[in-house]
Amino acid sequence: MKTTIYDIAKAAGVSIATVSKVINGTGRISTETRERVNEIMQEMDYQPSVVASALTGKSTFTIGLLIPDLANPLYAEIARTVEDRGRELGFNLVMCSTDNKPRRENDYITFLRQKRVDGIIISTGISDEEGIGNLVRQKIPVAVVTREMASLEADSVKVDDFLGGYLAASHLTGLGHRHIAVLTEDLSLATSRERVRGYRYALNEAGIDADKQFVVESVSSVEAGRKHALEMLRSDRSPTAVFASNDLLAIGVVQAAKELRLSIPWDLSVIGFDNTLLAGIVDPPLTTVAQPIAAMGRQVMDLIIQEVRGEKKTKRRIVLKPELIVRQSTTFPRKV
Amino acid sequence: MKTTIYDIAKAAGVSIATVSKVINGTGRISTETRERVNEIMQEMDYQPSVVASALTGKSTFTIGLLIPDLANPLYAEIARTVEDRGRELGFNLVMCSTDNKPRRENDYITFLRQKRVDGIIISTGISDEEGIGNLVRQKIPVAVVTREMASLEADSVKVDDFLGGYLAASHLTGLGHRHIAVLTEDLSLATSRERVRGYRYALNEAGIDADKQFVVESVSSVEAGRKHALEMLRSDRSPTAVFASNDLLAIGVVQAAKELRLSIPWDLSVIGFDNTLLAGIVDPPLTTVAQPIAAMGRQVMDLIIQEVRGEKKTKRRIVLKPELIVRQSTTFPRKV
DNA sequence: ATGAAAGCGCTAACAA
DNA sequence: TTGTTAGCGCTTTCAT
């Protein structure tokens, strides 16, 4: 049998209450007994059961993280920083990759509720805000990262997507481009819409008619990006630059360009979004709009833990600034 | 208050035992009451507490996954497939990135034990087999993936690293290379040693003196790989090909070569290991030895769940075959 | 400074 | 078919 608090109590010749107190550092215990008990726990390799403890109303010290896909570097990096901050604070992470499938998202949420996780961090795109609203109603702390849940009272941490789109597009217009396509993730995501809105704003500012540009919606993957880019680039009104709403898509564009023997950046400028590991690795290195991933991860975890600890009554909405990272995939247009 | 089994029982006018039975599908219950109870649980949005249930001796339906770093695509991909299989089987994953730091590994293990996870899957490198031996002694199911724990009685799933190293090196010797360096991860990892051993075997077979080649040990990152490659390539006995023991390092080599204006594959052939997402994205696309990541992830999860369910008494050791993926980073040596 | 005992939400005999 | 009840390992008054 696993050793329990009873075993320790017996071995130490004290009551379980006393053991409990030394474990939690509560109540008043003589240094003497404290030391003895600690020693014995050590010797017997005793691990207090957080499941029993949770049953009495304490935390489970577990947070659920809902993301679209762990295999996508952006989310892997977010998960990593969230996890790190959690560890520092004594919380573990249970990973939930939903592939943006509402069905899967709901299954995971049910799971997490049954496990009585202390809180849930959401980074998935399409969420039926219905199901999540339930969480909030049940007083389960919810925090959103990378997105925003319009109708929801929840903490959120995200980048200023509008500004990001603006930064990307105005970098391009500044370089002299007038024919700038955009390849974006699902426009049902507020995030994507904002980035496109920023793009339009920049084009407007430069006196370019945004309505005459390609705006192509795509599933978020290198392969899908490549396919769509191929079409775009083969068209007779092929752009001189493309703004992809994330690095995966941008890489797809790069690959398509290579296939068509277009040299980047000379024949085509490409700019991405996110600044994941990938951006530095493609050839040429990708100019992209960086999300402050580490800061975002750390901050959501901080927010939700405050919530869990009841240290906070009001919901907070944190918006961080994106940063343009200029590498080698953009330059002025060759042909005017 | 959260609704409990008592609330349901009262609302349905039955005992909690009955409710418990319909939840678990145990015992004999009339269809009538079953339906009524189910309906009420539905209405009240009741979620049975797995923490209470776990306290009575049932599973927590949680598995811990120890990996070096979630931000490394190899491990992210492994985690993803493990997670997927877990979901299918009704288990959640708690993520533990150790950065191969024994301290952190131990902290996580303590955490996981306190949470009474049903099992632990290990994919971290340097493990003090001591701490893990403890787990096994406590009858906590342990499975190892990607590695092997020599002294340990645990399930394991890995690729044949020796064969992988051999495949890589003989591809190179077959191309005519006679001067083949290897850039490897920490040789204290059995995995790395095996890959190098396979490499040596292939060189031997080709009549090349392996002892005269560069064998450089490196931390596993693009940057570290780049640095070491730079040194190698600047030396007067610069190789015509390098075998990197993982894709990250291989990419570092590619970057170094570019810096030195060496064209790949013409001036230098590079071969990696793992076949992560990255391999297809670098330029040129990387020839590499593929690990069957999805299969490995699925199989460890299957093994450990069998263990958890007590369906298996003997430990299993599964060794999968690696596969050489030839892309464009290797060719015959220009200068003989 | 320490202990007795009730209770957390559920499961599993055992009774009825 | 359904209900009673004794735990599961721990926390937390409330006494002592």
Side-chain angles (χ1 to χ4, degrees), chain A residues 161-172:
Chain A
D161 289 300
F162 174 83
L163 179 54
Y166 175 82
L167 250 31
S170 63
H171 169 64
L172 262 13

Side-chain angles (χ1 to χ4, degrees), chain A residues 125-193:
Chain A
I126 336 290
S127 311
D128 103 61
E129 308 204 356
E130 193 58 18
I132 295 175
N134 265 334
L135 292 179
V136 177
R137 232 161 291 125
Q138 312 263 338
K139 307 278 182 232
I140 298 176
V142 172
V144 180
V145 63
T146 267
R147 326 243 163 228
E148 202 155 19
M149 225 122 272
S151 62
L152 232 60
E153 221 190 290
D155 292 305
S156 71
V157 180
K158 62 189 287 289
V159 88
D160 185 334
D161 289 300
F162 174 83
L163 179 54
Y166 175 82
L167 250 31
S170 63
H171 169 64
L172 262 13
T173 59
L175 249 18
H177 290 275
R178 317 266 318 156
H179 201 169
I180 306 172
V182 13
L183 182 54
T184 175
E185 249 184 290
D186 197 334
L187 283 172
S188 68
L189 300 173
T191 278
S192 303
R193 285 198 305 271

Side-chain angles (χ1 to χ4, degrees), chain B residues 271-288:
Chain B
I271 186 167
F273 207 110
D274 289 348
N275 193 34
T276 53
L277 171 66
L278 303 178
I281 281 174
V282 251
D283 185 77
L286 204 60
T287 295
T288 191

